[in-house]
Amino acid sequence: MVITADEIIAATRRWLERSVIGLNLCPFAESVYRGNRVRFRVSQETSASGLLTELRAELIDLHAADPLHCETTLLIHPGVLTDFLEYNDFLDVCEAAVAELDLEGELQIASFHPRYQFAGTQAEDIENYSNRSPYPMLHLLREASIERAIAAVPDTDEIYRRNIRTLRNLGHAGWQRLWRD
């Protein structure tokens, strides 16, 4: 079964609306999303090297874009790095690409994956679901945006603690209910 880029973006939007925004897992996401300042890119790459080339281009494009029109990019890559450990190792390569492009302090990359697992957790611990997306993706963010968002929140660590409480209260059954139409 072939899934189109439009279907991948629709699934990603649904995930954003129901979990990231709907559960308020990221209190900064809604205004950017509702303002249509999120660029969705679906990679057709099937190799890590091809994805890296695409990532570099996206980093350059985002850096050059007017933040009033494009604040952030979701580079969704369903055909490569579907294994979480390989994906997690690739994040070091991503950070090196940011440095090589002299974009440190300008852009950073957040990680989301269908099998995301925080260090020190078990694979099915519900708190992992805060970073579980329908497809592997790299979230390219502007550092200035992050700094503004952090300045608006008195205790950013509370976001993480609140997310754990929210997800634990929701539980696996509640998480599954989010996806029923």
Side-chain angles (χ1 to χ4, degrees):
M1 182 168 123
V2 176
I3 299 175
T4 68
D6 288 341
E7 291 169 319
I8 291 166
I9 291 170
T12 302
R13 285 181 177 278
R14 183 175 178 222
W15 167 73
L16 281 167
E17 292 167 2
R18 293 186 184 185
S19 67
V20 176
I21 294 169
L23 296 175
N24 198 31
L25 297 178
C26 177
F28 319 118
E30 185 170 15
S31 65
V32 174
Y33 180 74
R34 302 279 183 229
N36 293 315
R37 296 189 333 258
V38 178
R39 179 170 39 214
F40 293 85
R41 292 285 195 235
V42 177
S43 175
Q44 301 301 315
E45 293 297 331
T46 57
S47 72
S49 62
L51 179 61
L52 179 58
T53 299
E54 197 166 8
L55 171 64
R56 283 185 174 123
E58 283 301 320
L59 287 164
I60 292 166
D61 286 351
L62 179 61
H63 187 256
D66 181 344
L68 296 175
H69 299 291
C70 182
E71 181 72 28
T72 190
T73 299
L74 294 176
L75 178 55
I76 310 160
H77 48 92
V80 63
L81 301 173
T82 57
D83 177 85
F84 179 68
L85 294 177
E86 290 176 9
Y87 170 86
N88 201 44
D89 289 344
F90 186 74
L91 295 175
D92 291 334
V93 175
C94 295
E95 293 305 319
V98 171
E100 288 167 13
L101 293 169
D102 200 27
L103 294 174
E104 286 181 309
E106 298 287 328
L107 300 178
Q108 68 175 251
I109 300 170
S111 55
F112 296 93
H113 193 279
R115 303 298 305 158
Y116 197 95
Q117 184 175 346
F118 289 105
T121 65
Q122 298 299 310
E124 289 309 313
D125 286 352
I126 193 68
E127 53 264 34
N128 292 319
Y129 286 67
S130 67
N131 284 52
R132 288 204 176 166
S133 54
Y135 301 96
M137 72 176 75
L138 300 168
H139 183 189
L140 287 54
L141 297 139
R142 296 175 190 273
E143 294 253 349
S145 302
I146 295 167
E147 289 168 8
R148 279 192 307 276
I150 288 172
V153 176
D155 180 9
T156 55
D157 288 339
E158 179 55 27
I159 296 168
Y160 175 74
R161 291 188 298 269
R162 186 191 66 232
N163 287 351
I164 290 173
R165 286 191 306 272
T166 297
L167 289 167
R168 286 181 178 166
N169 289 336
L170 186 68
H172 290 281
W175 181 263
Q176 292 305 316
R177 281 193 299 276
L178 289 176
W179 313 113
R180 293 186 192 141
D181 287 324

